[in-house]
Amino acid sequence: MGAMSARPNPEAAAQQAENNAPHRAGFACFVGRPNAGKSTLTNALVGQKVAITSNRPQTTRHTVRGIVHRPDAQLILVDTPGLHKPRTLLGERLNDVVRTTWAEVDVIGFCLPADQKLGPGDKYIIKELAGIKKTPKIAIITKSDLVESKQLAEQLLAVSRLGEELGFEWAEIIPVSAVKDDQVGLLADLIAPLLPESPPLYPEGDLTDEPEMVMVAELIREAALEGVRDELPHSIAVVVEEMLPREDRPADKPLLDIHANVYIERPSQKGIIIGPKGKRLKDVGTKSRKHIEALLGTPVFLDLHVKVAKDWQRDPKQLRKLGF
């Protein structure tokens, strides 16, 4: 499978102008169980780190959109949280968000890792997808670089059969490797014609329309989860209280002050996040600051505080306050 890059090429642009084909634009979302490679694929298509990659379920809490700009089409990727059997109020709310998003997008890409058997979690999602009649669905076999071609072929066949059993046909079935940038461009080529005719919906430079504060909060949350995922998988929420340019700075040396709170559910978790002599929290700050500076393109002073918000995952008032 030849590697194709997702960069727009000038010849394609010329060809497009010549054929005078209508420009298309629309929304797609990738679904699949946790760790199916959805965020990594989003990043590979957009060419920049936008969605939060994590091997833990429920880390992408916000609809982060990555935007793929092409001469012939604009593809806006909506990252829905994973669909799962809800155990908490937060879980139920997330599932509602998922179903509404699926009904509103133009294309759904179902991601299945090449190196894992089709499991009950996948079947649960595909069954839900079968219920959404109008939207075209593409089956994407991710991580194709991890298996031999025979295993890949079996996976393609298995997913095709499952569609048939549930009475629908995949618009396309395609193996990709986001890590090796293999067939990522081809995936964009297959999605583009399924989008409605429309002028671009976002200006050329945009990679995501997620408000910067939310993306900054996600980067801090990702850094805070690193190394403590087993102890605090979901009990961390981050709220950026303010982002202000530091006054009295020369124009060529700006500094952005960011004040953020890391919320946990119980006082006993405070020590885990802060670490001995505050070392962990300092590491979280250093690590996320690098990513934030890369995202915003400006030097940042990051002020982090850890606070307890009791059982926030089960409390509607807290959920609202924390942006859910």
Side-chain angles (χ1 to χ4, degrees):
M1 315 215 166
M4 291 182 67
S5 107
R7 304 276 166 273
N9 70 33
E11 286 151 35
Q15 185 80 41
Q16 140 103 24
E18 218 170 273
N19 300 349
N20 213 355
H23 185 279
R24 294 176 178 274
F27 296 83
C29 71
F30 294 142
V31 304
R33 56 194 155 105
N35 207 12
K38 303 182 291 283
S39 296
T40 314
L41 187 55
T42 300
N43 295 334
L45 275 162
V46 176
Q48 277 221 14
K49 182 168 176 162
V50 282
I52 303 300
T53 52
S54 152
N55 54 2
R56 243 303 151 49
Q58 298 315 318
T59 43
T60 313
R61 284 237 176 82
H62 298 278
T63 305
V64 179
R65 297 174 172 89
I67 303 170
V68 184
H69 300 277
R70 296 161 52 104
D72 59 330
Q74 187 181 68
L75 168 62
I76 298 129
L77 299 166
V78 187
D79 214 14
T80 51
L83 186 81
H84 58 109
K85 298 195 169 122
R87 286 190 308 277
T88 61
L89 178 64
L90 176 66
E92 275 170 47
R93 225 175 253 192
L94 289 172
N95 278 2
D96 292 343
V97 171
V98 174
R99 290 196 185 86
T100 22
T101 308
W102 288 5
E104 287 164 4
V105 296
D106 301 298
V107 181
I108 300 173
F110 168 71
C111 296
L112 176 71
D115 61 337
Q116 293 170 28
K117 281 260 185 290
L118 247 170
D122 300 305
K123 291 178 178 160
Y124 177 69
I125 295 171
I126 294 179
K127 217 179 222 139
E128 289 282 332
L129 284 180
I132 295 169
K133 297 276 184 270
K134 290 197 181 98
T135 318
K137 304 161 208 42
I138 294 181
I140 305 163
I141 310 299
T142 57
K143 311 183 187 187
S144 64
D145 55 303
L146 299 181
V147 298
E148 298 295 312
S149 51
K150 183 172 180 286
Q151 196 179 338
L152 190 57
E154 284 167 5
Q155 195 73 314
L156 293 168
L157 199 64
V159 79
S160 161
R161 281 196 187 128
L162 191 57
E164 278 167 27
E165 278 169 33
L166 293 168
F168 75 91
E169 199 179 332
W170 299 102
E172 303 281 353
I173 300 178
I174 175 178
V176 300
S177 164
V179 175
K180 293 263 194 294
D181 198 19
D182 190 24
Q183 305 233 102
V184 172
L186 180 59
L187 174 62
D189 292 343
L190 294 175
I191 294 175
L194 299 171
L195 303 175
E197 289 183 20
S198 156
L201 303 168
Y202 289 88
E204 175 69 49
D206 288 10
L207 291 169
T208 170
D209 80 338
E210 195 58 39
E212 284 175 344
M213 282 173 120
V214 175
M215 290 187 69
V216 166
E218 288 277 289
L219 288 169
I220 296 169
R221 187 166 181 272
E222 185 179 53
L225 276 170
E226 217 147 283
V228 295
R229 293 188 189 287
D230 298 334
E231 298 157 273
L232 314 173
H234 304 154
S235 1
I236 298 178
V238 175
V239 175
V240 174
E241 296 296 335
E242 56 179 17
M243 283 168 49
L244 296 168
R246 175 87 54 99
E247 288 176 15
D248 311 328
R249 296 284 292 195
D252 58 340
K253 292 214 168 107
L255 183 68
L256 188 67
D257 285 318
I258 299 181
H259 301 278
N261 291 328
V262 177
Y263 287 97
I264 45 179
E265 291 191 296
R266 288 187 289 287
S268 59
Q269 299 169 333
K270 220 167 172 172
I272 302 174
I273 288 285
I274 296 172
K277 296 195 178 137
K279 188 178 171 319
R280 264 216 85 246
L281 191 63
K282 208 170 153 187
D283 288 350
V284 169
T286 311
K287 191 157 191 171
S288 55
R289 200 184 69 234
K290 274 200 195 102
H291 287 306
I292 294 166
E293 290 181 336
L295 172 77
L296 302 177
T298 173
V300 160
F301 171 79
L302 185 58
D303 173 40
L304 282 183
H305 293 272
V306 179
K307 301 196 165 185
V308 179
K310 270 184 97 144
D311 290 331
W312 62 265
Q313 293 194 38
R314 287 181 164 69
D315 175 351
K317 216 164 74 218
Q318 297 273 15
L319 279 174
R320 269 201 304 282
K321 191 179 125 195
L322 298 173
F324 301 114

